[in-house]
Amino acid sequence: MCAQIIAICNAKGGVGKTTTSINLGAGLAELGYRVLLIDNDPQKANLTMALGHTGSSLRYTMANLLFTALDYPEELPDYIQKTLLHTEKMDLLPANKKLTGICTRLSVEQAGGVTEDGDTRPEFALRTVIDAVSDKYDYIIIDSGPKLDMLMTNALAAATQVIVPVQAHYLAMEGLTDILETVTFIRQRYNPELTIGGILLTMYQSQTNLCRSVEQQISEQYGADVHLFHTPIGASIKVAENPLFGASLFSAFPTHSTTLAYAEMAKEVANG
């Protein structure tokens, strides 16, 4: 069975995309699934750093893989083996700031609109990388940056579903609208099989009227068409501290309420 490919996306920063990528992956791994994490954020490579790796010290990263996918796709299996890092019960394709360069190239090639026979189209570079490994995993999770750029286009063009973390705050609603419109565009242009796996409320404080009001508004506006995950992810200082440990919440704080919330989310994803 080929992997389920989940893009974690939102057109707004600071909503918990990286935290969700790591801990959804860890939760699925705890359930016994084979999981690959992909760091697709060119700005900070937070996923790579949060799992204890320094991007500047890595010889092979996603930048190498995407360049190879564009120019020498037949060499991808060898490059992937050099790039894969093993962390907890998951694998990781890491990133660093060199990913910015490939984003520029993808944009230039898309604008040029000329692709020679046999070359990988710029919108499908990440899909080419994933196709080389998808039979080895049950779930592949892509952590994307907040920009609606060619790297996010690649993530959505490769994914089978997108999960949208949304901070339980009124201003976060704007980012939700933007990403849902982008998903519609990508579905029409590049990936008709793409579905919305769900909206995940993050930084949720159940005792506040604000969070409950935002939850109700999202449910009323989108609930008929889009799944809203049953268990919101609570606001917690442990989540903010977690990158210091270079591990998932499941390893650092296995009994914490936020960890248990991600465990419930993983079960929802696994149960479809």
Side-chain angles (χ1 to χ4, degrees):
M1 180 185 74
C2 290
Q4 284 289 312
I5 304 163
I6 302 173
I8 308 295
C9 295
N10 193 319
K12 184 174 177 59
V15 298
K17 293 184 296 295
T18 298
T19 298
T20 296
S21 297
I22 293 171
N23 292 294
L24 172 58
L28 290 167
E30 289 292 324
L31 293 173
Y33 294 105
R34 300 167 299 167
V35 178
L36 171 66
L37 302 178
I38 295 179
D39 192 338
N40 193 48
D41 184 351
Q43 295 181 330
K44 298 180 180 179
N46 280 340
L47 188 148
T48 298
M49 292 189 293
L51 287 172
H53 302 283
T54 303
S56 59
S57 67
L58 298 172
R59 182 175 179 184
Y60 296 100
T61 64
M62 281 302 300
N64 301 93
L65 297 184
L66 292 172
F67 273 118
T68 304
L70 290 170
D71 296 328
Y72 309 102
E74 70 280 359
E75 296 182 10
L76 266 175
D78 181 51
Y79 271 86
I80 288 170
Q81 288 304 312
K82 295 175 182 177
T83 307
L84 272 176
L85 300 175
H86 303 282
T87 176
E88 301 182 30
K89 298 177 182 178
M90 304 176 287
D91 287 341
L92 166 67
L93 289 176
N96 56 22
K97 291 183 178 181
K98 292 180 180 179
L99 199 54
T100 303
I102 188 65
C103 186
T104 300
R105 178 179 170 185
L106 291 170
S107 300
V108 169
E109 292 199 7
Q110 184 193 44
V114 178
T115 303
E116 296 181 5
D117 291 344
D119 284 356
T120 300
R121 285 179 55 183
E123 298 88 355
F124 300 131
L126 182 54
R127 181 187 293 183
T128 301
V129 173
I130 288 173
D131 284 346
V133 298
S134 62
D135 62 340
K136 297 178 174 62
Y137 298 97
D138 301 303
Y139 290 93
I140 296 175
I141 298 173
I142 308 167
D143 179 32
S144 290
K147 288 188 176 181
L148 298 172
D149 57 14
M150 278 296 289
L151 287 173
M152 186 180 288
T153 295
N154 265 257
L156 295 173
T160 54
Q161 63 175 290
V162 56
I163 290 175
V164 186
V166 177
Q167 183 182 2
H169 193 285
Y170 283 122
L171 294 178
M173 295 287 288
E174 180 179 350
L176 175 58
T177 301
D178 289 343
I179 191 62
L180 294 179
E181 290 176 351
T182 300
V183 168
T184 298
F185 171 79
I186 295 295
R187 186 187 291 134
Q188 294 170 345
R189 183 69 64 90
Y190 303 119
N191 185 4
E193 305 302 318
L194 179 64
T195 63
I196 300 173
I199 297 169
L200 176 71
L201 285 173
T202 61
M203 306 175 200
Y204 187 85
Q205 295 174 294
S206 59
Q207 70 273 22
T208 66
N209 290 330
L210 172 61
C211 288
R212 291 196 298 270
S213 177
V214 170
E215 181 178 18
Q216 180 179 354
Q217 184 176 349
I218 290 175
S219 179
E220 291 175 352
Q221 187 168 347
Y222 300 104
D225 303 309
V226 180
H227 175 65
L228 181 62
F229 284 96
H230 300 314
T231 305
I233 306 301
S236 170
I237 189 62
K238 294 297 185 185
V239 174
E241 293 174 346
N242 189 231
L244 299 174
F245 294 85
S248 72
L249 289 166
F250 286 81
S251 291
F253 307 106
T255 62
H256 192 271
S257 59
T258 306
T259 309
L260 300 179
Y262 274 115
E264 290 302 312
M265 180 199 182
K267 291 175 184 176
E268 281 193 63
V269 170
N271 292 332

